[in-house]
Amino acid sequence: MQRYPRVVVVGAGFGGMQAAQSLAQHGVEVLLIDRNNYHTFVPLLYQVAAAQLEPEQVTFPIRNLLRRSPYRLRFLMAEVEEINLDQKWLRADGDVIPYDYLVLATGSQTKYLGVEGASEYALPLRTLEEAIALRNQILACFEQAAHTSDTELRRQLLTFAIVGGGATGVEVAGAITELVKTAIVRDYPTIDPQEIRILLVQSGDRLLPELPPKLGHYTYKRLWQVGIEIYLDTKVSQVTEGTVHLEDGTTLLAATVIWTAGLEATVPDTSTDLPAKAKGKLAVRSTLQTVDYPEVYAIGDMAYVEQNGKPLAGVAPEALQQGVAVAKNIARQLQGKAPQSFSYFNKGRLAIIGCYSGVGQIGKFALTGFLPWLMWLGVHLVYLPGFRNRLLVLLTWLHSYLLGDRISRRISAPKLYRHSTQSRVRSSTKPAILQASSSSRYHSEEH
Amino acid sequence: MQRYPRVVVVGAGFGGMQAAQSLAQHGVEVLLIDRNNYHTFVPLLYQVAAAQLEPEQVTFPIRNLLRRSPYRLRFLMAEVEEINLDQKWLRADGDVIPYDYLVLATGSQTKYLGVEGASEYALPLRTLEEAIALRNQILACFEQAAHTSDTELRRQLLTFAIVGGGATGVEVAGAITELVKTAIVRDYPTIDPQEIRILLVQSGDRLLPELPPKLGHYTYKRLWQVGIEIYLDTKVSQVTEGTVHLEDGTTLLAATVIWTAGLEATVPDTSTDLPAKAKGKLAVRSTLQTVDYPEVYAIGDMAYVEQNGKPLAGVAPEALQQGVAVAKNIARQLQGKAPQSFSYFNKGRLAIIGCYSGVGQIGKFALTGFLPWLMWLGVHLVYLPGFRNRLLVLLTWLHSYLLGDRISRRISAPKLYRHSTQSRVRSSTKPAILQASSSSRYHSEEH
């Protein structure tokens, strides 16, 4: 009669899902816990926000994994409320669950960096729900602008301000540009494309600061060519209804403000505080074990891991490799061996700009233009979980890039959105004028 | 200088969308108004609820229509607040819009028939949002049941009660059965399929009362064969949290109660009350004009139309034919001719049961079994708007019916749901026992 050791994995992102899959092959019982019953393929969320991909195409039902090893791997859809590190149990939705080993992989969340009003009036883009909310917001702005004759209000509705010039900010700026050039010009004959403005506000002196300067400069030039207004060395001091306030006193009227500027680690409540480093990330040993608890591991975006004296960048391949490493180390511990140090094998780094352009750093080579754009799409297609998702995303991309159209244009919560925006935008302009003048748009014109 | 007459169509369901398309070819300016920016293909909603189709596959962006005639056809996403029939204008989201002709096509909504608690605790299935909410509810019940060791609570979570034995009730009962036999048995190895109960409660003495008795009897037999418990001649007196109360005093414990039993016409607020008939449907002349306003038409589920002394059934083909007829009649009025009487050409009637069975009445032939099942799917595939939707639904059906699986299993609002259900179900059972005993499920078992 053998009792299998129980490993609990918290979080089904890249790190947690990989750890659970690898662990299931190592003679342990694995319980994977996530608040959602699906895995989100975060790198493609910006395409959901820009009405290119359907939400379902970038998610993967977690229980599909379990089908491969139904007796070793279990899943619990629950919120982890408390972890008792000394007694080795955690509480999730009221259930108390003991563990022998614990893998924390709860990722990170948006940080508004102390900017007043940002959490209230700016839209983040880190979860599927946020991507859908952003899609609803963008499309509803076009719907409202289409029947608004108040010029000032229409311009505000047609201005999209993106805060943060990292990979997500650049992706979103490019993707909204593509959306405008394809579906919007076809769908809204009454909207003049010249009135649509996309603004990108970056606090540092270049875009994509995590890549070599050359690539950031190329990205700036490319986005500028397609009509995006870029503010470098510019900090946001406040966000109010429909307005971004810059530190130099400038105000930018934009009904949609997208926040991609900051993040911090998401750490569940623990009985003893675990030591943290930059951005609230947990300090871990080189083996990915937490400092004081050798049976507790932390991986992915919530763990602070250095390599060659520099912190890791927080990208998916790092989390995936850590997921494999953590499974091996737990297996070693079970055999009475010492866990091994984690070492990240960097295959390179790609960033997509959109409009058939991307940038990349592979070994010593810096790539720009069409090739890294195609490589970015190809790599993400390969890593996207699920054969069906891969096929549908490929077909959707072929359709949208070859025919220049977008298909996913449903506003899924029109009422929820419209009320909040109308009050938002109208309160900052002239409600009476809008109502009176816009109605004239519906009087038949004389021909 | 010619002024084109303005026709406003309210509602983009089957009738309204068809009317707008037909009118655009008749030398008028058409404004189509709907609260959503998409058309919902209602006949397939039950497959969204049963996690078979994705929400996007049964919707169609209304602006796709406009692309075909961008100058004649306009769209406004808005809620119609008021119609002034005497002054010929309507107000939508604050905008005042005058019309020369008005086509009302606002459909119908769920009616709870005065049953106490039904609107609060039973889930309807008439809109896309409702279908998604029902899918979330069904899947979340399985998630919760999978880690609940309290037998009574688990049985309640695994009981699905459907009120109403018309086409929708029968479809849903069959579709949940299919879901259980495919995805659920694979995804939840800890749930015993024998514990899952599907109940169908019908007030009349047979299922599908709108079809010949023979077909209702076949449907009863078929659903009984696949394990559905059917209550005929049974009325619901009350719905409370997790419980259906029958008029004879019986109570059925079911965490999920689905309401498909009643409907009433949705009529916008008008300056003068329009005369109504059964189920609040508007009285119309044989030409589909309202009784007192010859320039105002009412079509589809909101209009009371008789043929051969019997009211029409309220199915999609009737609304589609009325949409075409209304466009012709408005064109006749513009030419100074009298509008013509509408006559519905009935091609037959099909109903799907699920599990490879259906029933149908075509001319004098009554069909049962596999053939009408296949015909139902075929007909709805042909009528589904959009080439892409048609292709994706066909592929999904081939996948699910040939391989016996479901792919659309994302719970899109787990937290929202889980809280309400836990309180719902737990309050009617024993919360303390649940919490204590269920945790034991997570203690490693001895092998």
Side-chain angles (χ1 to χ4, degrees), chain A residues 324-353:
Chain A
V324 174
V326 103
K328 276 191 195 150
N329 277 349
I330 290 174
R332 287 182 67 89
Q333 282 183 292
L334 287 169
Q335 293 161 2
K337 298 179 192 167
Q340 292 178 321
S341 289
F342 168 75
S343 174
Y344 173 58
F345 178 70
N346 189 345
K347 295 177 195 161
R349 185 85 187 271
L350 292 163
I352 195 160
I353 301 171

Side-chain angles (χ1 to χ4, degrees), chain B residues 122-145:
Chain B
L123 294 164
L125 179 54
R126 293 186 62 79
T127 69
L128 187 68
E129 273 75 27
E130 290 168 358
I132 296 170
L134 187 50
R135 180 184 72 179
N136 288 342
Q137 162 80 13
I138 292 170
L139 295 176
C141 279
F142 287 110
E143 283 297 336
Q144 206 185 330

Side-chain angles (χ1 to χ4, degrees), chain B residues 101-300:
Chain B
Y101 294 89
L102 179 66
V103 180
L104 297 174
T106 47
S108 58
Q109 55 193 319
T110 299
K111 195 180 176 184
Y112 294 99
L113 309 169
V115 173
E116 198 187 323
S119 66
E120 235 176 309
Y121 301 114
L123 294 164
L125 179 54
R126 293 186 62 79
T127 69
L128 187 68
E129 273 75 27
E130 290 168 358
I132 296 170
L134 187 50
R135 180 184 72 179
N136 288 342
Q137 162 80 13
I138 292 170
L139 295 176
C141 279
F142 287 110
E143 283 297 336
Q144 206 185 330
H147 68 99
T148 299
S149 55
D150 176 319
T151 314
E152 197 187 336
L153 172 61
R154 202 170 61 243
R155 286 211 181 123
Q156 190 179 20
L157 286 165
L158 295 176
T159 302
F160 303 88
I162 299 147
V163 183
T168 308
V170 166
E171 284 164 358
V172 171
I176 298 178
T177 308
E178 288 178 353
L179 173 68
V180 167
K181 291 189 176 182
T182 55
I184 299 302
V185 293
R186 292 191 194 193
D187 277 351
Y188 302 90
T190 60
I191 292 179
D192 176 5
Q194 298 296 324
E195 281 191 296
I196 301 167
R197 290 175 70 196
I198 301 166
L199 318 176
L200 183 57
V201 181
Q202 161 71 326
S203 59
D205 65 351
R206 69 171 200 265
L207 300 176
L208 302 177
E210 65 279 16
L211 289 174
K214 186 188 160 191
L215 299 182
H217 299 325
Y218 173 84
T219 303
Y220 182 95
K221 202 182 74 183
R222 194 71 192 94
L223 288 178
W224 181 82
Q225 280 171 345
V226 298
I228 292 163
E229 300 167 44
I230 307 162
Y231 296 77
L232 293 183
D233 289 316
T234 305
K235 283 190 175 149
V236 172
S237 60
Q238 194 190 351
V239 183
T240 53
E241 282 187 319
T243 310
V244 178
H245 303 261
L246 305 181
E247 275 195 348
D248 67 3
T250 315
T251 55
L252 307 170
L253 289 182
T256 306
V257 182
I258 304 165
W259 190 269
T260 70
L263 68 85
E264 61 185 341
T266 312
V267 181
D269 281 345
T270 49
S271 53
T272 317
D273 276 348
L274 293 166
K277 296 235 177 180
K279 296 178 183 174
K281 295 184 179 199
L282 295 187
V284 291
R285 305 182 208 176
S286 65
T287 55
L288 304 174
Q289 289 164 297
T290 51
V291 180
D292 299 315
Y293 298 89
E295 74 283 0
V296 179
Y297 287 78
I299 59 173

